[in-house]
Amino acid sequence: EFIMTVDDSKSEYTRVISPRLGILGLLGFLGFIGFIPGVFNYRGSANVPFVFFFFAFFGFFGFYYEGKMSNTQMDERFLANRQRAAARASQTALTVIVFAAIISLSVLRLSVYMQLSFLIAVIGFAFGLSCFLQQYLLYRYENKE
C-alpha cells in the first residue's frame, strides 16, 4: 500500500502582494546620489563609491509582475517556468557584469576610484536587473505573451 503525505508547510499558491509595490523600484534612482560631487566626503577623505549600489533597488520594479501573479497555483509548469526565468535572468546579469568588467579594465582609461565606482554601479544594476527579470520572465512564460 502506497500512502502519500502532504507537507502542510509548503504553500500551493504564490504570495499575495499588491502590484503597486512596483513603485518602490523608483528607489533605484538613489544610485545617482553618487554622481553628486562632495557627497559623503568627510574631512577631506575620498568619496565613498558604495552609494552606487543603490542601483540594485531597480529590482523592486519586479514587485509589479509578482503582484500580477499573486495567488497563482504553483504547479509543475509554474515551478519549471520559475526555474527557467531565474536561469535566464542570472545569465543576463552575469553577462552584463563580465562585459562591463572587460570594458572597464581594458578599454576605459579610468582611475582606480572611477573603475571601482563603475563596477559597483554595474554590479548593483545587474543585481536589480536579475531580480526584475526573474519576475518579468516568469509572468511572460506563464501568460505566454
Side-chain angles (χ1 to χ4, degrees), residues 18-140:
S18 173
R20 290 180 282 186
L21 284 176
I23 295 173
L24 291 175
L26 295 174
L27 292 174
F29 288 110
L30 291 175
F32 289 109
I33 290 174
F35 291 113
I36 300 172
V39 174
F40 301 108
N41 193 356
Y42 181 70
R43 293 186 185 178
S45 63
N47 290 343
V48 180
F50 299 105
V51 296
F52 288 114
F53 197 73
F54 280 121
F55 286 122
F57 287 141
F58 282 126
F60 287 152
F61 283 125
F63 282 140
Y64 174 74
Y65 291 104
E66 186 176 355
K68 289 184 77 150
M69 297 285 294
S70 288
N71 208 22
T72 301
Q73 185 176 10
M74 292 192 296
D75 55 356
E76 290 178 15
R77 183 178 58 95
F78 179 87
L79 296 175
N81 284 338
R82 184 169 66 180
Q83 196 171 26
R84 189 172 115 195
R88 180 67 183 222
S90 298
Q91 178 186 17
T92 303
L94 185 61
T95 302
V96 167
I97 291 171
V98 169
F99 182 71
I102 291 170
I103 295 297
S104 171
L105 297 174
S106 64
V107 175
L108 300 177
R109 302 288 184 208
L110 300 173
S111 67
V112 173
Y113 174 79
M114 292 300 292
Q115 283 182 351
L116 178 64
S117 299
F118 177 73
L119 289 175
I120 288 173
V122 167
I123 290 170
F125 175 75
F127 180 75
L129 179 68
S130 175
C131 292
F132 168 74
L133 272 180
Q134 285 180 21
Q135 297 302 323
Y136 169 72
L137 291 173
L138 176 60
Y139 177 78
R140 193 173 132 202

